[in-house]
Amino acid sequence: MKVGKRIRHLQRYREIAVAFVRNGFGYVVNELGFPETFPFLRQGERRDIHKKSIGERIRLLLEDLGPTFVKLGQIASTRPDLLPADVISELVRLQDKVPAFTYEEAVGIIEEELGSPVSEVFAHFPRIPIAAASIGQVYRAALQDGTDVAVKVQRPHIQQMIETDLDILAELARLAESRLEWARNYRVRDVVEEITKALHAELDYTTEARQAEKFIAQCQQLEGVCVPHVYWDYTTRRVLTMEFLMGIKLSDREQLDKEGHSRTGIARKFAQIIFHQILIEGLFHGDPHPGNVLVLPDGTLALLDFGLVGRLSPEMKRQFATFVIALRNQSTNGVIRAISNMGIVPDEADLNALRVDVDEMREKYYETPLSRVSLGEAVNDLFTLAFRHRIRIPSEMTVLGKTLLTMEGVVVALDPSFSVFEVAEPYGRRLFRERLDPRNLVKKAIEEAPEFLDMLTEMPSGIRNIAAAMRKGKFKLEMNVPELGSFLKKMDMISNKLSFSIVLLSFSIVLVGLIIGASLASPDTVLWNLPVHEIGFVIAIIMLSWLLYSFFRSGRF
């Protein structure tokens, strides 16, 4: 590592340590060994910080640490399977508290990226941005032909800052897993790796542009929805130029009413778009909050900002449908099977407790009219269950959960009487029919045929290898039976109790024999002048005591 990079890391480590202490997490600093690294760290806590909840303190900590950690919190807010609900509710409130960078810096980045003076590229480029965030800021400009465009410009040096923070996060995750049990349980390093991939994608505006074009293709199959056009001649990794669309945000209900738009119609159209993306296309907007959806003058819905996009494989779509169907059919086994297939159930999971929790969840939705069922609440219940039992849900499913919750919140705000399930049901039936369609079954069989043929081809050699290993005595068989440990422990306790009973019976027989022998023998009878009866009695007592001690010491009695 270069000297300059080492110095930046050391300075950033100290800033992180100070922020932890300032927000009431000094004990984490101690557990991670920071005082040994920074012996002169002396920074007081915020006033009354311990009166705030853990979630609020985490939010304040992330805001103190800047853009990378704000993004980290925003991404983590989509993982209710990893964090409790009270922390998630605070993370969704995270704000990008960053000032806009200067006009001169923005112009410098544009000219460096596009290789031409701003005056040659744009007929008009304003000095003031219309929006500023942690990664970049947006300007409303005009091309030389007069076309209105939205130009997103990345912050100066933001990539270097984020890379430094990500390096430190990776090191802190490694350190946490080596020292803290909860960090190992939740595989913090895997979470940091997932966040790193998400941030790298956001730092490359060409990725967002490509994703926008995929949604443009989707819009050709739907009516009443559009996505702004991408101008590739003026788009690079650090500059994104798209068509500028003027409309009303979904959150501005008063203006929607004033312009004569039907809120119920907008809610239905918005829900149809999202469900089509999720259940038909398998590619959906990951953050459809009201600010990212505009109502154009003709009633068309325009989707904006494709930095976060969700994807569902055909298999994951089937498992999600299985979960919903099993929940509605009150099938505990079906729900557990869907959860197992969607996530990773740890070996140490208590399957009995999981079954009890699933029973409670399905009872909640049994024989409940669709109009009174909240799809977002059902998905949230699934993630709460996953968090409780340490089940890792894939990131694609958590983005789905965030999208459904956001969509349902927007729809209910537009029309409180609107039922999301009424819109979802036709798509669910279509997905179920496609799953049973003979043509799809044949297509799946054809796709899997090469793999099946490879398996058949390799089977003879595999059998020969197993037979050879068995002949050499090197064949090793491992079996993993759920709850086998508790079953063997109970069997061990039963056998110990049985052994204890046998020992007591034997001791009783020996004792009775000694008593009868003593009563039948003459008073002066001795064997080589030794008191045989007394010695036998003492030996029996010692043996009994030793056996009892062994039983109780084993802890399996």
Side-chain angles (χ1 to χ4, degrees):
M1 188 184 295
K2 295 180 180 179
V3 174
K5 191 173 182 180
R6 285 181 179 273
I7 293 173
R8 285 199 308 273
H9 279 206
L10 189 62
Q11 291 172 340
R12 188 57 171 156
Y13 268 118
R14 189 183 187 284
E15 291 172 4
I16 292 171
V18 168
F20 267 86
V21 173
R22 175 174 164 77
N23 291 284
F25 294 108
Y27 61 92
V28 177
V29 173
N30 292 329
E31 289 176 347
L32 291 178
F34 271 57
E36 301 162 9
T37 310
F38 304 105
F40 304 108
L41 179 62
R42 297 288 185 274
Q43 178 71 28
E45 296 179 343
R46 290 177 187 263
R47 180 173 296 180
D48 299 331
I49 188 65
H50 289 285
K51 294 182 180 179
K52 301 182 184 296
S53 67
I54 291 292
E56 191 173 359
R57 285 155 56 189
I58 291 174
R59 176 174 60 79
L60 293 171
L61 167 68
L62 297 178
E63 289 176 348
D64 279 354
L65 290 174
T68 307
F69 287 84
V70 168
K71 279 294 177 186
L72 182 155
Q74 291 172 342
I75 294 170
S77 70
T78 68
R79 299 305 306 263
D81 60 316
L82 297 179
L83 298 171
D86 59 327
V87 174
I88 294 290
S89 65
E90 285 293 334
L91 293 183
V92 297
R93 296 175 54 201
L94 277 168
Q95 301 294 324
D96 295 338
K97 294 182 178 178
V98 288
F101 54 91
T102 65
Y103 169 80
E104 288 73 21
E105 287 175 312
V107 167
I109 292 171
I110 291 172
E111 293 182 345
E112 179 183 346
E113 290 292 310
L114 301 184
S116 300
V118 168
S119 58
E120 292 183 8
V121 178
F122 301 104
H124 168 68
F125 192 87
R127 301 188 66 86
I128 307 298
I130 58 175
S134 55
I135 301 294
Q137 55 196 38
V138 181
Y139 295 84
R140 180 182 179 180
L143 297 177
Q144 291 294 347
D145 62 1
T147 303
D148 277 346
V149 290
V151 183
K152 185 188 291 188
V153 184
Q154 197 171 103
R155 282 187 171 275
H157 314 300
I158 188 65
Q159 185 153 358
Q160 183 182 45
M161 181 191 305
I162 286 179
E163 291 295 345
T164 297
D165 283 347
L166 290 176
D167 286 344
I168 292 174
L169 270 176
E171 177 60 23
L172 289 178
R174 185 198 63 77
L175 188 62
E177 285 198 1
S178 67
R179 294 188 177 216
L180 307 174
E181 184 178 358
W182 65 264
R184 290 191 294 273
N185 289 338
Y186 288 105
R187 289 180 282 190
V188 173
R189 281 192 289 185
D190 291 348
V191 176
V192 169
E193 185 177 345
E194 183 180 311
I195 290 169
T196 299
K197 290 179 181 177
L199 277 173
H200 281 155
E202 285 206 43
L203 286 171
D204 186 354
Y205 286 165
T206 61
T207 300
E208 182 177 345
R210 286 193 295 270
Q211 291 174 164
E213 291 209 320
K214 291 177 182 178
F215 283 98
I216 291 173
Q218 275 189 16
C219 292
Q220 296 174 0
Q221 304 178 40
L222 294 169
E223 293 183 2
V225 59
C226 70
V227 171
H229 176 73
V230 178
Y231 292 91
W232 280 102
D233 291 342
Y234 314 110
T235 295
T236 67
R237 289 179 59 90
R238 300 170 65 199
V239 176
L240 173 61
T241 305
M242 301 181 75
E243 176 186 5
F244 184 86
L245 297 176
M246 179 68 76
I248 306 170
K249 293 183 178 180
L250 291 187
S251 56
D252 193 350
R253 295 186 291 277
E254 183 178 344
Q255 189 63 28
L256 289 173
D257 293 337
K258 185 177 179 180
E259 297 292 330
H261 295 290
S262 167
R263 283 201 261 162
T264 301
I266 292 172
R268 178 172 295 278
K269 186 185 297 184
F270 179 56
Q272 287 174 339
I273 292 168
I274 299 299
F275 280 121
H276 178 87
Q277 291 179 349
I278 292 171
L279 296 176
I280 305 303
E281 303 290 344
L283 177 72
F284 55 94
H285 199 300
D287 192 18
H289 65 75
N292 283 339
V293 185
L294 298 178
V295 181
L296 303 186
D298 62 354
T300 299
L301 297 186
L303 303 181
L304 312 175
D305 192 352
F306 302 94
L308 178 60
V309 168
R311 291 177 175 83
L312 284 185
S313 65
E315 177 61 25
M316 199 57 72
K317 284 195 295 184
R318 285 195 293 270
Q319 296 305 334
F320 179 66
T322 299
F323 164 73
V324 176
I325 293 169
L327 200 61
R328 293 290 295 160
N329 291 342
Q330 204 184 21
S331 171
T332 300
N333 290 332
V335 172
I336 291 178
R337 186 163 53 250
I339 292 173
S340 299
N341 291 336
M342 283 192 289
I344 303 173
V345 179
D347 294 335
E348 65 274 11
D350 187 337
L351 297 182
N352 286 332
L354 177 60
R355 185 173 294 277
V356 169
D357 286 344
V358 169
D359 281 338
E360 291 181 1
M361 183 170 67
R362 67 172 175 75
E363 286 285 350
K364 180 178 179 180
Y365 299 101
Y366 182 57
E367 293 184 348
T368 302
L370 285 178
S371 59
R372 298 214 316 263
V373 173
S374 166
L375 182 59
E377 186 179 354
V379 174
N380 199 45
D381 286 344
L382 168 64
F383 290 144
T384 301
L385 195 72
F387 172 77
R388 188 179 305 146
H389 294 276
R390 295 179 182 173
I391 298 172
R392 286 291 306 276
I393 299 292
S395 58
E396 56 186 353
M397 283 301 299
T398 57
V399 175
L400 168 64
K402 181 178 187 294
T403 296
L404 289 174
L405 286 167
T406 304
M407 179 268 291
E408 193 167 41
V410 171
V411 166
V412 170
L414 288 169
D415 183 359
S417 64
F418 188 82
S419 173
V420 171
F421 258 108
E422 290 180 3
V423 177
E425 197 173 16
Y427 291 98
R429 285 200 302 267
R430 175 176 171 179
L431 192 64
F432 190 72
R433 286 196 302 268
E434 288 179 356
R435 184 177 180 181
L436 299 178
D437 190 332
R439 290 171 298 182
N440 290 333
L441 295 175
V442 171
K443 181 181 177 182
K444 185 177 180 182
I446 292 173
E447 290 175 350
E448 294 181 353
E451 185 178 349
F452 182 70
L453 290 174
D454 289 343
M455 184 180 68
L456 289 177
T457 304
E458 295 172 359
M459 188 177 293
S461 61
I463 294 174
R464 283 196 300 271
N465 292 336
I466 292 173
M470 292 179 68
R471 282 196 298 270
K472 294 177 182 179
K474 296 181 179 180
F475 188 75
K476 183 178 179 181
L477 178 63
E478 293 185 2
M479 295 182 66
N480 183 16
V481 181
E483 303 179 9
L484 179 61
S486 60
F487 173 74
L488 292 177
K489 185 176 180 180
K490 290 178 182 177
M491 291 297 294
D492 199 12
M493 293 173 66
I494 292 171
S495 63
N496 279 349
K497 290 182 179 180
L498 182 60
S499 300
F500 179 64
S501 302
I502 293 172
V503 169
L504 285 180
L505 179 61
S506 302
F507 176 72
S508 301
I509 293 172
V510 171
L511 188 60
V512 169
L514 289 172
I515 293 172
I516 294 173
S519 64
L520 294 177
S522 60
D524 55 351
T525 299
V526 293
L527 180 62
W528 298 307
N529 295 321
L530 293 175
V532 177
H533 302 128
E534 289 78 356
I535 292 174
F537 182 76
V538 171
I539 292 173
I541 287 292
I542 292 172
M543 291 179 63
L544 176 65
S545 301
W546 180 77
L547 286 170
L548 291 177
Y549 173 73
S550 300
F551 287 148
F552 286 105
R553 186 182 181 186
S554 70
R556 296 179 179 176
F557 188 72

